[in-house]
Amino acid sequence: MKVEIYSDIACPWCFIGKRRFEQALDLFPRKDEVEVVFRPYQLVPDAPEQASPHRAWLAERYGPQSVAMDARVAELGKAEGIDYDFDTALHVNTFLAHRLLHLAETEYGARTQVALKESLLTAHFSDGVDVGDREQLTRIAVAAGLDRDRVAGYLAGDEGTAEVRAQLAEARALGITAVPTFVFEGRWAVQGGQEASTFLRVLEQVAAETAEAAEQHGQDRQTGPADADAACADGACAV
């Protein structure tokens, strides 16, 4: 089973959603058969490349309620083992970091990409790191197992730019307007940082659906796209 997670490094709910999904995956009997890949999405595609304080940016965008927004997310994060530090977090464009995640997936594999994603989220939300800075990104990538020279050269050029832009366009074509969005087998989608129990039900449902489809195919029956109504149980809806 392949799960593609559309996510942004600057999205606090993406961090919560990642942790909850991983909890569900740990309880899923066929965990070893699941491939998890992160796909790019930018909540603020026109964010500046020069970092600035997160608090100031959020207050400008949402006004006085921004403090309560951060406080709520921070409280929910504690339950997932996440230490949000919004006082030191920085607002910056995440495109460069998405390029780095693309490199990790294509040259090192999905598991390395997942580890790098965790490191980037932690750096951004807990450590006050500028995830738009090439030197900082290189340091994080090396710690995740990537080659220093390869990363430095990659980030200095424009490799991966066209591919990441194409994936961002694909997200728009799929109708994804919020993150995190979890797409299972390219057919079913779950939006938001759902509870682990919800993700587990979806994993079980998709596994059952795909097993049934494989059985029907083996019996030379015609199979078509999943029925949208049938696929919308337990929060999982067809893309």
Side-chain angles (χ1 to χ4, degrees), residues 186-199:
R187 299 166 65 193
W188 296 275
V190 174
Q191 188 178 91
Q194 304 292 333
E195 295 292 338
S197 58
T198 299
F199 283 128

Side-chain angles (χ1 to χ4, degrees), residues 144-169:
L146 281 68
D147 179 75
R148 179 180 298 276
D149 290 340
R150 175 63 178 128
V151 170
Y154 179 89
L155 292 177
D158 61 359
E159 283 186 81
T161 296
E163 290 83 356
V164 171
R165 292 202 187 284
Q167 290 178 359
L168 289 168

Side-chain angles (χ1 to χ4, degrees), residues 16-17 20-21 24 31 53-54 59 68 94 107 110 143 183 201 233-234 237:
I16 291 174
R20 289 177 174 177
F21 178 76
K31 173 184 177 180
H54 160 82
T94 57
E107 296 191 10
V183 179
R201 288 198 301 270
D234 297 323
C237 295

Side-chain angles (χ1 to χ4, degrees), residues 80-136:
E80 312 304 333
I82 301 170
D83 181 20
Y84 286 105
D85 186 352
F86 291 113
D87 288 329
T88 62
L90 298 170
H91 173 63
V92 70
N93 197 290
T94 57
F95 187 82
L96 201 61
H98 284 302
R99 279 181 55 212
L100 184 59
L101 287 166
H102 175 73
L103 173 68
E105 182 212 349
T106 55
E107 296 191 10
Y108 294 84
R111 291 188 178 182
T112 298
Q113 190 207 39
V114 170
L116 177 60
K117 179 73 172 188
E118 176 75 18
S119 296
L120 287 169
L121 288 166
T122 300
H124 178 66
F125 286 112
S126 301
D127 301 334
V129 173
D130 178 359
V131 295
D133 180 79
R134 286 172 172 79
E135 290 187 7
Q136 293 293 342

Side-chain angles (χ1 to χ4, degrees), residues 1-123:
M1 182 192 308
K2 186 170 186 176
V3 184
E4 296 171 280
I5 307 175
Y6 288 83
S7 168
D8 193 4
I9 296 97
C11 167
W13 276 103
C14 290
F15 205 172
I16 291 174
K18 179 181 182 295
R19 289 288 179 87
R20 289 177 174 177
F21 178 76
E22 289 170 344
Q23 291 171 27
L25 200 56
D26 284 339
L27 298 173
F28 185 56
R30 296 169 58 184
K31 173 184 177 180
D32 292 341
E33 300 174 23
V34 180
E35 178 187 11
V36 179
V37 178
F38 281 92
R39 300 299 185 205
Y41 189 95
Q42 286 194 284
L43 289 171
V44 190
D46 60 349
E49 295 183 6
Q50 183 68 36
S52 62
H54 160 82
R55 290 284 200 191
W57 170 79
L58 200 69
E60 181 179 348
R61 185 162 185 171
Y62 295 106
Q65 64 177 330
S66 63
V67 176
M69 291 167 60
D70 278 348
R72 177 170 179 264
V73 171
E75 188 63 29
L76 290 170
K78 286 181 181 178
E80 312 304 333
I82 301 170
D83 181 20
Y84 286 105
D85 186 352
F86 291 113
D87 288 329
T88 62
L90 298 170
H91 173 63
V92 70
N93 197 290
T94 57
F95 187 82
L96 201 61
H98 284 302
R99 279 181 55 212
L100 184 59
L101 287 166
H102 175 73
L103 173 68
E105 182 212 349
T106 55
E107 296 191 10
Y108 294 84
R111 291 188 178 182
T112 298
Q113 190 207 39
V114 170
L116 177 60
K117 179 73 172 188
E118 176 75 18
S119 296
L120 287 169
L121 288 166
T122 300

